[in-house]
Amino acid sequence: MSDLYGVRVLEVDLPHRRIRLRSTVVYYDTGAHAPLTDDASFFLRVFGETADGAPLGDVITRDQRLDEAWVDANTRWFIESVERIATRNYPLTDEEVDELLDDENRVSFPWEEEPRFDEMSPESAAELVLSEETNVGADYDVVVTDPRWIEHLTAGDWWRTAAYPTHADRLLPGEAAAIPDLRDPAAVLKPFSREDQPRHLAFSDDGRFLAVNSEEGELVVYDAADWRECFRARADDYISPWLMWVPGEPVITLRHHEELRPQLAYDVVRGAPVEAPQAPPQSGRLDPVSPGGDYLAVSGESPGKLEVIIQRVSDHQVVTRHAIGRGWYPLQTYEMAWSPDGRWLAVNLVLVEVNGDWEAKGGETHIFRVGLPATGIP
């Protein structure tokens, strides 16, 4: 892999667990612009690659450091905060990007054959500084959770790195219990055949049941105690009906997308159709906002993968995100729902085959338990 950045340690303050780091982009063929490195995952990778024989190297293996999912899940045990305090030569115009893609127009960042910055010849030190001043870059104050994680670094250290940012969890103190664990689903349900796919889903207002319906109108209800299927029915000619639970009752209703069509209802405990209420009930959450209104569940994309993203409502920051599936767009999301008791997040995913055409081939319902570990690596 090509070197992506040059980094230089400007200051280390062990009593305050703080390090000031300068990052300079040395590789620009990354799309519309050269990336800056604000995500905490980048700094854990950078600190770890120089930590052989140091405490950080004793607790993080090279394989863990190269595992994106591991780094994203565990960075919070090592990096407390990242603050960008200076930015250089960014954002870039298209013309500036073209110039930097031409090696002849760019001042190259030195190679590691040179000594520490404070031991360099004046000419070599000036070349390094010129590279920092003319390329895209930024300075950061990084606070670690323990001074041991940076005790192997001193001002004047510098090196080239192939480290890159991903998406580390960014939790506030005390927030872990309210965040779904997107990396470890409690259940992966396959409610329908490959000829059909999940569409809508809704928890009962007591959180006891989860109803999932299909594009073709089939209905499946699961018991949230063990995610066992407890009821199944088919609503003929009800294409992608809307689901709603009757408040206080184990009764799920299906409403046709044409308002004048009759509403269907089923008692999922008795396992039988029942008379539909006169007016559609308003229970059952079809929106992606958590019960307390603090978090939003949305879908997004990382290269070639579907992501589920949890965003904090108060400051719009992403708290956690995780890509599901492998390959190019194998899963697409239709809908998400939080359980009213705040214990679960359910996500409907449609399996897509890309063979010249985007064709739906069944799907899955992923159940994520709310609550991330509150303690981790020492």
Side-chain angles (χ1 to χ4, degrees), residues 4-6 22-28 34-36 87-90 92 96 99-103 105-110 127-138 160:
L4 303 179
Y5 302 94
R22 175 164 293 174
S23 173
T24 301
V25 177
V26 300
Y27 184 77
Y28 286 88
L36 290 177
T87 302
R88 295 181 300 282
N89 308 312
Y90 186 83
L92 298 175
E96 289 170 329
E99 289 181 8
L100 288 170
L101 286 172
D102 184 351
D103 290 339
N105 295 327
R106 185 168 72 251
V107 179
S108 177
F109 198 85
E127 180 184 0
L128 188 152
V129 171
L130 181 60
S131 175
E132 293 174 335
E133 291 178 346
T134 56
N135 286 289
V136 172
R160 283 172 165 255

Side-chain angles (χ1 to χ4, degrees), residues 60-347:
I60 301 180
T61 68
R62 182 177 183 274
D63 287 344
Q64 288 172 327
R65 188 160 39 83
L66 296 178
D67 184 332
E68 291 186 5
W70 190 94
V71 171
D72 287 349
N74 290 282
T75 291
R76 63 191 176 110
W77 308 123
F78 300 94
I79 307 296
E80 182 175 299
S81 65
V82 175
E83 180 185 3
R84 193 200 307 179
I85 59 172
T87 302
R88 295 181 300 282
N89 308 312
Y90 186 83
L92 298 175
T93 64
D94 291 341
E95 291 76 15
E96 289 170 329
V97 171
D98 291 339
E99 289 181 8
L100 288 170
L101 286 172
D102 184 351
D103 290 339
E104 294 183 0
N105 295 327
R106 185 168 72 251
V107 179
S108 177
F109 198 85
W111 296 92
E112 281 92 338
E113 289 81 3
E114 295 283 352
R116 289 169 44 84
F117 181 75
D118 51 355
E119 298 172 357
M120 280 181 164
S121 67
E123 295 79 13
S124 295
E127 180 184 0
L128 188 152
V129 171
L130 181 60
S131 175
E132 293 174 335
E133 291 178 346
T134 56
N135 286 289
V136 172
D139 294 351
Y140 300 90
D141 275 348
V142 183
V143 177
V144 294
T145 59
D146 191 297
R148 292 178 297 161
W149 311 145
I150 54 173
E151 68 176 32
H152 60 290
L153 297 168
T154 58
D157 292 340
W158 67 272
W159 63 98
R160 283 172 165 255
T161 179
Y164 54 92
T166 48
H167 301 297
D169 290 351
R170 297 186 177 187
L171 275 66
L172 298 176
E175 196 172 34
I179 306 302
D181 186 353
L182 301 179
R183 299 177 181 90
D184 185 22
V188 176
L189 310 175
K190 298 181 184 296
F192 311 113
S193 69
R194 282 177 58 84
E195 285 67 47
D196 205 352
Q197 59 266 1
R199 182 68 180 188
H200 301 302
L201 75 173
F203 281 96
S204 58
D205 62 344
D206 59 3
R208 181 181 172 186
F209 299 106
L210 173 67
V212 184
N213 76 340
S214 77
E215 187 70 26
E216 300 301 322
E218 192 165 3
L219 169 71
V220 181
V221 178
Y222 294 94
D223 189 326
D226 54 12
W227 304 112
R228 173 183 53 84
E229 180 182 323
C230 59
F231 181 76
R232 183 179 289 263
R234 185 170 188 86
D236 292 333
D237 299 325
Y238 271 56
I239 303 300
S240 188
W242 291 100
L243 300 176
M244 290 172 287
W245 287 89
V246 176
E249 298 182 38
V251 175
I252 182 71
T253 70
L254 283 72
R255 181 170 58 83
H256 197 279
H257 66 276
E258 296 179 6
E259 293 284 348
L260 298 180
R261 296 288 294 273
Q263 182 173 246
L264 306 178
Y266 301 92
D267 186 316
V268 301
V269 173
R270 291 169 49 200
V274 295
E275 185 176 349
Q278 293 299 311
Q282 298 303 310
S283 181
R285 301 184 63 87
L286 296 180
D287 60 87
V289 180
S290 64
D294 298 320
Y295 304 100
L296 183 69
V298 297
S299 63
E301 294 176 2
S302 61
K305 298 179 182 179
L306 171 76
E307 286 190 315
V308 177
I309 300 169
I310 306 300
Q311 187 175 18
R312 194 180 297 111
V313 172
S314 61
D315 59 8
H316 311 295
Q317 295 298 308
V318 172
V319 182
T320 187
R321 62 196 299 171
H322 186 59
I324 300 173
R326 298 181 181 276
W328 286 95
Y329 305 104
L331 295 169
Q332 299 293 304
T333 184
Y334 264 143
E335 201 162 272
M336 307 184 193
W338 301 75
S339 64
D341 55 12
R343 295 180 59 202
W344 310 103
L345 174 69
V347 180

